[in-house]
Amino acid sequence: MDFLANFSNNNSFGLPVGGPAARLLSELTINQIDRLLHADGIKFVRFADDYHLFANSREEAYRSLIYLSDKLYSNQGLTLQKSKTRIMTSAEFRSTSPLAGKLSDEEAEEEGQAAAMSHKASELLQFSLRFDPYSPNAQEDYEHLRREVRRFDIVSLLKQELLKSRVHIALARKIVSAVRYLDERSKDDAVLSIVDNCDLLYPIISSVMLMLSQVFEELAADTRVEIAFKLSELIRDDSHVFRVDIHLAYAVRVLAHLPSSDNELLLQRIIVNASRRLYDAT
């Protein structure tokens, strides 16, 4: 227990691995987290260091995941492995489980749609969106890039991606980056769809907020008001999307483009809550 106390307080990079003793040490190390999850009413199963959390909604799933991540780091100095951490529908989970039975036709179709990628989407993944604003021919380069982007139906690709239960992260990030090169009407439609699906785009929400900051002044007035309203609503509702401080900071940068009394009150609330958390931590 003395060894584990020392091990758990040094922000290690993982659980002990090796022979049979390592399994016992792993169980002792992480048992506290199991009890915390039980106490919080989170349904889960664990094998060694692999956790499966179960939830009734995407929002609940993210809340539980954030809770697990926080407790692992604050108590054991452990972090979740980014490449293995994901939110799955029940159909996707069953399709990857060796204990699950055959998928229904509807579940198989959903899984097929989630895995499918159009030819245009594959092309877009290979397409470079790099633009140098300090180039001697910056304006010409920008117009050329806009013409090239028009070869892809960005709005349709976005809608297709948002129909999936889990977005293709690289493709979604490329689509979001391409939005800034769309014409005015398409740009408005795209950003509204993106803001309506912040929860689905949670894995790339920082890229989404950066894009919104870049194009905000180019949007129609009613679109800007609607974006500000929806972001403010998510923050006030304590959505998992903005529970991570860096995500919240990016959202505040977007709201700063539209000064209003409501936004000022929201900013005051954010600062007060942050001060309370800092006070509690000290």
Side-chain angles (χ1 to χ4, degrees), residues 15-254:
L15 295 175
V17 294
R23 177 63 57 80
L24 178 59
L25 291 173
S26 296
E27 292 297 325
L28 290 170
T29 302
I30 212 166
N31 176 262
Q32 182 188 44
I33 303 300
D34 292 351
R35 290 185 281 117
L36 288 171
L37 292 176
H38 273 303
D40 205 58
I42 296 174
K43 296 179 180 179
F44 74 96
V45 293
R46 178 176 63 81
F47 177 76
D49 61 346
D50 287 330
Y51 273 100
H52 291 287
L53 311 183
F54 299 91
N56 294 315
S57 67
R58 184 177 292 273
E59 182 75 22
E60 181 185 335
Y62 274 113
R63 289 180 188 276
S64 298
L65 186 60
I66 291 172
Y67 181 85
L68 173 62
S69 177
D70 176 64
K71 296 306 178 185
L72 277 171
Y73 185 77
S74 60
N75 288 278
Q76 272 75 29
L78 298 171
T79 57
L80 298 176
Q81 188 175 25
K82 187 176 180 180
S83 62
K84 292 176 63 178
T85 304
R86 55 182 287 198
I87 303 291
M88 305 170 69
T89 64
S90 57
E92 289 174 308
F93 178 73
R94 288 181 58 197
S95 70
T96 60
S97 171
L99 302 178
K102 184 179 179 181
L103 293 176
S104 67
D105 291 341
E106 183 178 349
E107 289 173 329
E109 183 180 356
E110 180 185 347
E111 181 65 18
Q113 289 174 346
M117 184 184 299
S118 68
H119 177 67
K120 279 294 182 183
S122 299
E123 280 190 48
L124 181 61
L125 277 172
Q126 303 300 320
F127 183 72
S128 175
L129 290 169
R130 292 179 182 175
F131 168 66
D132 181 6
Y134 302 104
S135 167
N137 304 312
Q139 186 61 35
E140 294 179 14
D141 293 344
Y142 180 77
E143 292 301 326
H144 174 72
L145 187 55
R146 288 192 63 180
R147 288 193 297 271
E148 289 297 302
V149 168
R150 290 194 192 110
R151 295 194 296 109
F152 306 95
D153 189 346
I154 298 298
V155 175
S156 294
L157 286 174
L158 173 64
K159 290 179 179 179
Q160 176 187 344
E161 199 62 23
L162 294 177
L163 287 174
K164 300 178 181 179
S165 57
R166 180 173 62 94
V167 297
H168 185 289
I169 292 179
L171 177 58
R173 185 176 282 116
K174 185 62 74 75
I175 291 172
V176 167
S177 297
V179 167
R180 61 182 298 197
Y181 302 107
L182 300 178
D183 59 73
E184 294 181 3
R185 179 61 182 274
S186 297
K187 190 178 298 182
D188 281 32
D189 291 341
V191 296
L192 288 175
S193 294
I194 286 171
V195 173
D196 282 337
N197 291 276
C198 279
D199 60 335
L200 188 59
L201 294 170
Y202 179 86
I204 61 164
I205 200 65
S206 295
S207 299
V208 168
M209 294 298 114
L210 285 171
M211 180 276 293
L212 290 176
S213 288
Q214 292 171 339
V215 305
F216 199 87
E217 302 300 333
E218 303 168 8
L219 303 172
D222 56 342
T223 301
R224 287 181 292 196
V225 170
E226 189 167 354
I227 288 172
F229 173 77
K230 289 179 178 179
L231 292 183
S232 299
E233 190 174 41
L234 286 171
I235 295 172
R236 289 193 179 93
D237 291 344
D238 195 28
S239 168
H240 68 271
V241 177
F242 297 119
R243 279 195 168 192
V244 178
D245 288 341
I246 189 65
H247 295 171
L248 182 59
Y250 279 127
V252 169
R253 288 177 60 179
V254 177

Side-chain angles (χ1 to χ4, degrees), residues 5-22:
N6 180 67
F7 166 81
S8 298
N9 289 321
N10 285 282
N11 292 341
S12 60
F13 294 97
L15 295 175
V17 294

